[in-house]
Amino acid sequence: MLSRIAESLFWIGRYIERSDGTARILDVHLQLLLEDPWIEENLACQSLLHLMGSAAPTDRLLTRKDVLATLAVDRLHPASIAYSVTAARENARRVREIVPTELWECLNTTSARMPRKVAGEKTHDFFGWVRERSVLAVGIVESGVSRDEAWQFFNLGRSLEQADMTARLLATRSLTEASGPSWTTILRSCGAYESYLRTYRGVPSARNAAEFLLLDRLFPPLDRVLPLPGGAVPARHGDPHGPRRRVRPGAAGAGPDPQPAGISADHGYPERPVRADGRRAGGHQRRLGSHRRPVFPHEHRADLDRGGVVNRLRIRHVTGYRYQGEVGASYNEARMLPVSSPDQFVLYAGLEISPVSSNHGYLDYWGTQVSSFEVLTPYTELTLTATSLVEVRPRTHLAHPLGWPELAAASRRSTITVEHARQTRLTDPPEDVAALAAEIVARRASPCDAALEICAAIGDQMQYVQGVTGVHSTARESWSDKRGVCQDITHIALGALRSAGIPARYVSGYLHSRPDAGIGETIRGESHAWVEWFCGDWRGYDPTNSIDIGDRHVAVGRGRDYNDVPPLRGVFSGTSGSELFVTVEITREA
């Protein structure tokens, strides 16, 4: 094969992959700018430009519009999607006698339809369209090209671009530490988030996520990606027929690194731990001859695999409103679907809405899954049916050696703990509740032990009675009568813990109320609430039932109080009278 043909095929594959990767990264990061009000937009936009190998201007504040103009539709900027698509088409034109006609038509059409400007509300649709066109181009090659040298050079370009994109994201994380993008964001940017959850069955941790992106052989797009020495972000280069990307100041160029530092050659590409039945933690079948140990053997993994003791619960939650008259339109948010965590793994979660409506899902500031939807046709009843299948394992409540000075110092280091140390209108405690907490704290050397005693004392003094309080009742109101439901008891416990200097958060979810229920037996469940407090790690307790959080509790959302995690909230136009209905059914399946 002529070198010019090989070079063009290489850059076709690389530019197609670059447009796909850039669209995915921009989609994830720009969506976070909209959802998280605490992110500084200028700093985030500068970091994003640096990540993509583009110099960021320092003489003005940057906005998401500047990022879109530079990295999405600028046909002259080597880091942009439009440039990559145009360059891929130009390289395909040079080797028309080699590439399939369908691939040429795909690239030609995509280049011709590339917009010169993208409206703010259309960015997600634009990035989705770019990714669809990229996948179409790759699919044409994979399904219609012989596995010869042409196919190999095309995939070589794709593989190097995938490795480069992943190395950039990981280098950004290693250089910025906690101030950089979260591991969930990095996994989503690499298109690896769902595959990670299926493999590790838990929320991303630093070691697990890095190991998955760098060393997991069964995730094809990131096969055998190795980090560059020093964690530097390399310069991005174009092919000889186009301009090169501008290099981030101080960035190191790519260099050979056959083996990352600190990892022996014998463990460069480890298999995950093998169980006695010959299967690995992710459910994949073990390959013959693979007996390597994991690179991070001591990393704790949330692998709720079939070999562990788990409680599998199917939850059906139906709620909604019946109106006295016709409603013209409504805009709503639902928080009814659980998410995976180290203590629970969501096998399935889905939401049905009647009248039929499309919905947009996202994670809110507190990490709760939100389904946002609108109904624009007249109706008299709104019904939501959330169905989920969740594997829950018994919690291990470890002792934490933190003393009170250490807890105070640790609580100031994190935004989350600072947020959950402040009282809200619903949790502000009565004076005698604060005095009760202070008395327990005075004789307890361990904050965790004190928190447990405080919650137990609150639960003992409250009587569970439905109908005497409402969703807007405060801790003071429910404590005055010593009666209420789980929401009220949780608010009182939160107020007591925070008054004692212990960060605490409200948890909403479900409780399987009968531990003796047989497999396949459906019981009438309930939406439930409990507390989690911070004493070196988050520790949960159910003050309503005076029990530890175990394998019968399924968490849905977390926040400062009930107002952060209501199952259904919205506004509507039309009649004022409405009636809320709720039913929860829980079936133990294993």
Side-chain angles (χ1 to χ4, degrees):
M1 177 177 288
L2 295 176
S3 61
R4 67 172 182 84
I5 295 177
E7 184 179 48
S8 292
L9 291 170
F10 170 86
W11 283 106
I12 291 172
R14 186 149 193 179
Y15 278 127
I16 290 175
E17 190 63 35
R18 183 174 296 180
S19 63
D20 177 74
T22 304
R24 184 187 295 113
I25 291 173
L26 291 180
D27 194 14
V28 172
H29 284 74
L30 294 182
Q31 185 66 31
L32 283 178
L33 281 179
L34 293 176
E35 296 173 0
D36 192 341
W38 300 101
I39 295 179
E40 184 180 345
E41 187 174 21
N42 175 59
L43 181 60
C45 291
Q46 287 185 352
S47 300
L48 196 53
L49 288 172
H50 285 321
L51 169 65
M52 304 309 296
S54 175
T58 57
D59 57 342
R60 59 187 175 89
L61 296 178
L62 297 179
T63 66
R64 57 194 307 270
K65 290 184 178 179
D66 297 316
V67 173
L68 281 172
T70 301
L71 297 180
V73 296
D74 189 343
R75 284 168 165 76
L76 299 179
H77 196 292
S80 74
I81 295 173
Y83 180 96
S84 297
V85 171
T86 303
R89 182 231 180 234
E90 182 63 21
N91 278 279
R93 185 185 63 81
R94 296 193 187 101
V95 289
R96 279 287 288 110
E97 71 278 11
I98 299 296
V99 300
T101 301
E102 293 87 350
L103 178 62
W104 162 250
E105 291 178 348
C106 174
L107 295 176
N108 194 37
T109 302
T110 306
S111 178
R113 294 180 179 177
M114 182 63 60
R116 296 187 176 274
K117 185 177 181 181
V118 180
E121 67 276 8
K122 297 293 185 180
T123 55
H124 180 71
D125 295 337
F126 168 71
F127 294 137
W129 174 76
V130 171
R131 294 179 59 190
E132 287 177 1
R133 300 299 296 183
S134 300
V135 171
L136 176 60
V138 173
I140 291 172
V141 174
E142 292 297 321
S143 62
V145 175
S146 300
R147 270 37 177 181
D148 55 9
E149 289 180 331
W151 179 84
Q152 291 173 352
F153 277 108
F154 176 84
N155 278 283
L156 176 62
R158 288 188 62 219
S159 299
L160 287 178
E161 185 65 28
Q162 290 161 353
D164 182 71
M165 283 283 191
T166 306
R168 285 172 175 276
L169 288 166
L170 292 177
T172 300
R173 174 68 188 186
S174 67
L175 291 172
T176 57
E177 297 295 339
S179 63
S182 68
W183 284 106
T184 297
T185 301
I186 290 176
L187 288 167
R188 288 176 59 198
S189 299
C190 294
Y193 183 62
E194 292 186 3
S195 296
Y196 173 90
L197 291 181
R198 286 192 291 270
T199 301
Y200 285 87
R201 302 196 174 190
V203 293
S205 65
R207 287 189 173 183
N208 282 352
E211 178 181 330
F212 183 76
L213 291 176
L214 292 172
L215 303 172
D216 192 282
R217 287 181 172 181
L218 300 181
F219 186 59
L222 305 176
D223 186 30
R224 303 187 180 186
V225 179
L226 294 179
L228 290 168
V233 178
R236 297 297 297 271
H237 301 292
D239 68 283
H241 306 290
R244 295 191 171 192
R245 291 195 181 197
R246 285 170 282 183
V247 183
R248 179 163 72 95
D257 184 24
Q259 191 65 36
I263 301 177
S264 66
D266 186 41
H267 301 123
Y269 303 106
E271 300 289 350
R272 285 183 293 280
V274 180
R275 302 198 303 265
D277 59 2
R279 297 179 65 83
R280 286 185 289 153
H284 302 300
Q285 194 67 32
R286 179 170 60 91
R287 292 183 181 179
L288 296 177
S290 297
H291 299 286
R292 298 184 178 93
R293 299 189 304 274
V295 176
F296 308 115
H298 302 296
E299 176 65 14
H300 172 67
R301 293 177 180 170
D303 49 354
L304 300 180
D305 53 25
R306 299 288 187 261
V309 178
V310 297
N311 201 17
R312 186 182 303 155
L313 303 176
R314 182 175 296 276
I315 304 166
R316 186 173 183 269
H317 181 182
V318 181
T319 188
Y321 287 94
R322 297 186 183 94
Y323 299 92
Q324 296 178 356
E326 191 173 74
V327 172
S330 66
Y331 301 86
N332 312 274
E333 287 183 347
R335 291 170 171 83
M336 300 168 63
L337 301 178
V339 295
S340 294
S341 71
D343 298 315
Q344 66 185 38
F345 179 65
V346 179
L347 298 171
Y348 168 80
L351 181 66
E352 296 180 5
I353 304 170
S354 178
V356 176
S357 171
S358 61
N359 69 84
H360 168 63
Y362 66 93
L363 294 179
D364 67 10
Y365 177 74
W366 308 105
T368 304
Q369 177 68 40
V370 182
S371 301
S372 175
F373 65 96
E374 59 186 26
V375 183
L376 303 180
T377 57
Y379 64 93
T380 57
E381 181 175 317
L382 175 65
T383 303
L384 281 74
T385 303
T387 305
S388 54
L389 182 62
V390 187
E391 286 185 347
V392 191
R393 67 175 177 181
R395 273 69 159 181
T396 301
H397 301 287
L398 302 175
H400 296 283
L402 259 69
W404 292 102
E406 293 81 7
L407 175 63
S411 300
R412 291 193 294 266
R413 297 192 191 107
S414 169
T415 303
I416 293 297
T417 51
V418 170
E419 293 271 14
H420 292 304
R422 299 172 180 171
Q423 301 287 4
T424 68
R425 185 186 69 84
L426 295 180
T427 67
D428 188 38
E431 289 72 14
D432 52 342
V433 170
L436 171 66
E439 186 271 329
I440 294 174
V441 167
R443 53 185 171 79
R444 286 286 188 176
S446 167
C448 202
D449 292 342
L452 184 61
E453 186 175 345
I454 290 171
C455 290
I458 297 296
D460 290 342
Q461 297 190 45
M462 287 293 294
Q463 183 181 3
Y464 185 91
V465 179
Q466 294 181 333
V468 297
T469 57
V471 295
H472 302 296
S473 297
T474 65
R476 290 177 177 269
E477 294 169 348
S478 52
W479 180 258
S480 64
D481 200 28
K482 298 294 193 300
R483 297 188 302 170
V485 294
C486 58
Q487 171 188 315
D488 306 302
I489 299 172
T490 299
H491 281 153
I492 297 170
L494 288 174
L497 292 170
R498 292 169 181 171
S499 71
I502 302 174
R505 60 191 182 188
Y506 185 103
V507 186
S508 70
Y510 303 105
L511 172 65
H512 188 282
S513 57
R514 282 184 48 198
D516 60 339
I519 294 178
E521 181 180 356
T522 298
I523 68 168
R524 183 179 178 85
E526 56 186 38
S527 295
H528 199 49
W530 58 91
V531 300
E532 287 180 349
W533 64 78
F534 180 81
C535 54
D537 198 359
W538 290 100
R539 204 269 204 210
Y541 186 77
D542 184 347
T544 303
N545 297 295
S546 299
I547 58 175
D548 282 322
I549 304 304
D551 60 358
R552 296 186 292 123
H553 292 80
V554 176
V556 171
R558 293 174 171 85
R560 294 162 298 182
D561 55 32
Y562 172 83
N563 286 334
D564 287 333
V565 289
L568 179 59
R569 175 165 56 193
V571 296
F572 67 92
S573 64
T575 180
S576 59
S578 63
E579 176 190 2
L580 173 68
F581 59 88
V582 181
T583 60
V584 178
E585 295 177 344
I586 303 179
T587 306
R588 183 181 172 216
E589 294 198 350

